[in-house]
Amino acid sequence: MIWCTLIIGILLPWSLAHPGFFTSIGQMTDLIHTEKDLVTSLKDYIKAEEDKLEQIKRWAEKLDQLTSTATKDPEGFVGHPVNAFKLMKRLNTEWSELENLILKDMSDGFISNLTIQRQYFPNDEDQVGAAKALLRLQDTYNLDTDTISKGNLPGVKHKSFLTAEDCFELGKVAYTEADYYHTELWMDQALRQLNEGEISTIDKVSVLDYLSYAVYQQGDLDKALLLTKKLLELDPEHQRANGNLKYFEYIMAKEKDVNKSASDEQSDQQTSLKKKGIAVDYLPERQKYEMLCRGEGIKMTPRRQKKLFCRYHDGNRNPKFILAPAKQEDEWDKPRIIRFHDIISDAEIEIVKDLAKPRLRRATISNPITGDLETVHYRISKSAWLSGYENPVVSRINMRIQDLTGLDVSTAEELQVANYGVGGQYEPHFDFARKDEPDAFKELGTGNRIATWLFYMSDVSAGGATVFPEVGASVWPKKGTAVFWYNLFASGEGDYSTRHAACPVLVGNKWVSNKWLHERGQEFRRPCTLSELE
């Protein structure tokens, strides 16, 4: 068994009740100490039967070295997306294989410890989720498979490698999703590493089996035929490959006959019909969104940039800010996005995080048709809600938002705290309810979301920007700052230029908290205008 470089940590009781480790860095760091404990237990077992269990001893020594490194900087270590994927993979599958080996000797001490710990382990969903996160990062940040496999990601503290087996597993996840594009990429990477001499538990026959089919599904019959022939050179008796070879040759012969009798236009149409496995993207601004995430957004003209300023803001002569005004910076003009610097202290951030951690749940969205809360693939994070009455720090933060925005927070939603895990993201969306969602906030009775206040409670090594695809704005996380914008014009009409997204976290850990302020209570604080778009 080839082991990967991963992560784990101290066990908290809420880990059992709330699966989905890959969606939260905070929970994954707890797994660091869990694996370290397992390694210690394993080493004790080895000492008891060292002469019989040399294979297990070597295994444990590798893990011991890994976890010793990881526990020195758990959060930084787990911020590497490859580490997180390999953690899901190892704990979900490879520890089970180890258990079967040990059970042969009825090793009660270690097995009982492993059995107890397994209830806190990630499951298949976590491992698949971590794999999909890697694929998502690959697309968003234009990373090739070799870059990811070698761990050459920007801002990493703990470099980690993918084995041929890891690449094979990523390809299988894509294959299960009928994502033949990524299946081909990762099976090809696995094959390349095997050809370079890497020793692995998987063989070239298995890789070529998946690779040839993925290539065929994408319409490249010539390459599929070539790969199938290579497979049969290694295993002439491979039943499926022999069947595929006959089928591919039959299809190619049929195409030659068609090409002789059909026009070029008809031939092109038939070729296009062969293409499979390329999913239709549900997100119309995908390309623009991903470019902004990579920092390739629209650059403001010098004339527009001159209109952006930094200033000291006293909250309209608010007594709390007269002697110590807040530092404001214009991030964008239309929509106007303002960043407040040094607006939340490190001590306040830690208190908010400590309050939120035991309550973190997979983030949900409100179904616009049913109104029910549900998890979705385009929002990958965990969140918790904090009320002002339960802690003076939360109450103080709420009042700070009110003092600086001039808006009444008594009708606002509770402070939402979110932690983004590996590849964590929230694809382009509106914070306000559109006209086709009249009942979105009906139960609250406070009207639409007039404005958004967003605290950045951590720096992010790479990725994790807040982007506005409609206008080309990118706002990058900076610990201790906050950004603010209005979702509605003063007339009450929605500002569609505020459609925004949280880009996937490439490397690191992203903590944010936000406050959604509502219309009720703002009648005299932000009076309506007669113009619809003012």
Side-chain angles (χ1 to χ4, degrees), residues 292-528:
L292 290 171
C293 290
R294 296 191 296 269
E296 301 170 2
I298 298 173
K299 304 300 180 184
M300 273 193 177
T301 62
R303 184 175 182 179
R304 287 178 65 187
Q305 287 179 340
K306 288 180 180 178
K307 297 180 181 179
L308 303 181
F309 295 96
C310 293
R311 67 186 68 81
Y312 286 106
H313 179 61
D314 62 9
N316 294 323
R317 303 293 295 172
N318 188 294
K320 298 176 185 177
F321 294 99
I322 290 177
L323 294 180
K327 291 179 280 187
Q328 270 190 359
E329 177 186 0
D330 293 331
E331 286 279 354
W332 204 258
D333 51 359
K334 292 182 180 181
R336 192 183 182 202
I337 305 169
I338 300 173
R339 188 192 293 265
F340 290 84
H341 290 269
D342 302 320
I343 204 62
I344 183 170
S345 69
D346 289 351
E348 289 173 325
I349 287 173
E350 291 308 312
I351 290 172
V352 169
K353 286 166 63 175
D354 288 341
L355 290 170
K357 282 179 181 179
R359 313 182 198 179
L360 287 174
R361 306 288 189 276
R362 176 71 183 268
T364 59
I365 61 104
S366 177
N367 187 305
I369 299 175
T370 66
D372 296 333
L373 295 177
E374 58 189 23
T375 60
V376 287
H377 62 87
Y378 55 81
R379 188 180 189 186
I380 309 294
S381 65
K382 283 196 172 180
S383 62
W385 299 85
L386 303 180
S387 299
Y389 65 80
E390 63 185 285
N391 189 283
V393 170
V394 179
S395 178
R396 185 164 69 242
I397 288 172
N398 288 341
M399 288 309 300
R400 189 177 304 153
I401 295 171
Q402 176 168 302
D403 293 337
L404 290 172
T405 63
L407 298 175
D408 188 352
V409 297
S410 65
T411 58
E413 296 174 48
E414 294 179 343
L415 187 70
Q416 181 181 221
V417 182
N419 181 217
Y420 291 83
V422 181
Q425 65 166 4
Y426 192 178
E427 289 183 352
H429 61 282
F430 298 102
D431 280 350
F432 66 91
R434 274 77 65 212
K435 292 181 178 180
D436 58 349
E437 303 171 319
D439 298 330
F441 306 115
K442 187 177 181 179
E443 292 183 1
L444 298 177
T446 54
N448 210 342
R449 288 172 175 167
I450 191 173
T452 296
W453 177 285
L454 177 65
F455 284 111
Y456 293 113
M457 302 198 301
S458 67
D459 293 313
V460 181
S461 300
T466 304
V467 299
F468 295 74
E470 293 294 318
V471 296
S474 297
V475 180
W476 298 92
K478 183 180 179 182
K479 187 177 181 180
T481 69
V483 291
F484 172 79
W485 67 85
Y486 280 103
N487 297 306
L488 306 179
F489 293 110
S491 63
E493 291 295 321
D495 184 351
Y496 284 81
S497 68
T498 62
R499 182 171 171 84
H500 61 284
C503 294
V505 176
L506 178 57
V507 177
N509 185 14
K510 182 180 178 183
W511 283 90
V512 298
S513 58
N514 66 278
K515 194 80 172 174
W516 282 310
L517 298 108
H518 284 248
E519 291 177 292
R520 299 294 178 266
Q522 322 303 344
E523 292 82 358
F524 298 103
R525 293 173 181 262
R526 195 193 189 213
C528 291

Side-chain angles (χ1 to χ4, degrees), residues 84-312:
F85 159 69
K86 297 177 75 170
L87 168 62
M88 305 298 111
K89 175 175 169 287
R90 182 166 65 252
L91 289 181
N92 184 47
T93 60
E94 296 178 353
W95 277 98
S96 296
E97 295 173 10
L98 176 63
E99 178 183 358
N100 292 333
L101 178 60
I102 295 172
L103 278 172
K104 295 177 182 178
D105 294 323
M106 300 301 292
S107 210
D108 294 337
F110 178 79
I111 293 302
S112 60
N113 187 21
L114 181 60
T115 302
I116 291 170
Q117 299 284 27
R118 179 174 286 110
Q119 61 185 321
Y120 304 105
F121 277 12
N123 55 24
D124 289 340
E125 180 184 353
D126 292 306
Q127 183 173 330
V128 170
K132 288 181 178 179
L134 273 177
L135 302 182
R136 184 162 57 249
L137 292 172
Q138 178 182 6
D139 289 345
T140 303
Y141 296 104
N142 275 346
L143 302 172
D144 59 60
T145 55
D146 194 58
T147 296
I148 298 175
S149 181
K150 291 179 179 177
N152 294 327
L153 302 179
V156 298
K157 294 182 180 179
H158 306 277
K159 194 170 182 178
S160 189
F161 301 88
L162 286 173
T163 64
E165 184 185 359
D166 297 328
C167 297
F168 181 71
E169 289 298 325
L170 284 168
K172 283 173 62 178
V173 169
Y175 179 85
T176 302
E177 299 291 316
D179 178 2
Y180 302 114
Y181 169 73
H182 286 106
T183 303
E184 179 185 359
L185 291 179
W186 285 102
M187 289 301 173
D188 191 54
Q189 179 67 27
L191 184 63
R192 187 158 53 246
Q193 292 182 204
L194 291 174
N195 287 335
E196 291 171 356
E198 181 179 318
I199 299 173
S200 178
T201 57
I202 62 166
D203 54 50
K204 295 180 182 179
V205 170
S206 300
V207 176
L208 285 167
D209 194 14
Y210 279 96
L211 182 56
S212 60
Y213 186 75
V215 168
Y216 162 69
Q217 285 288 358
Q218 294 179 88
D220 193 343
L221 193 56
D222 291 333
K223 187 176 179 180
L225 183 63
L226 179 63
L227 291 169
T228 303
K229 288 180 178 179
K230 286 184 178 180
L231 191 162
L232 289 171
E233 289 176 5
L234 299 172
D235 183 4
E237 304 300 321
H238 197 284
Q239 185 175 356
R240 183 165 48 253
N242 277 297
N244 287 344
L245 180 64
K246 293 178 182 178
Y247 177 71
F248 294 157
E249 289 176 340
Y250 167 75
I251 293 295
M252 291 185 75
K254 190 175 180 180
E255 282 188 350
K256 287 180 180 178
D257 293 338
V258 170
N259 289 336
K260 289 179 181 178
S261 58
S263 66
D264 290 340
E265 182 179 351
Q266 289 174 329
S267 179
D268 290 340
Q269 289 175 351
Q270 289 189 2
T271 302
S272 66
L273 291 174
K274 292 190 302 174
K275 300 280 185 181
K276 298 179 181 178
I278 303 175
V280 177
D281 200 335
Y282 58 88
L283 195 62
E285 67 263 66
R286 169 76 62 190
Q287 185 176 3
K288 187 184 294 184
Y289 157 58
E290 293 183 347
M291 286 181 63
L292 290 171
C293 290
R294 296 191 296 269
E296 301 170 2
I298 298 173
K299 304 300 180 184
M300 273 193 177
T301 62
R303 184 175 182 179
R304 287 178 65 187
Q305 287 179 340
K306 288 180 180 178
K307 297 180 181 179
L308 303 181
F309 295 96
C310 293
R311 67 186 68 81
Y312 286 106

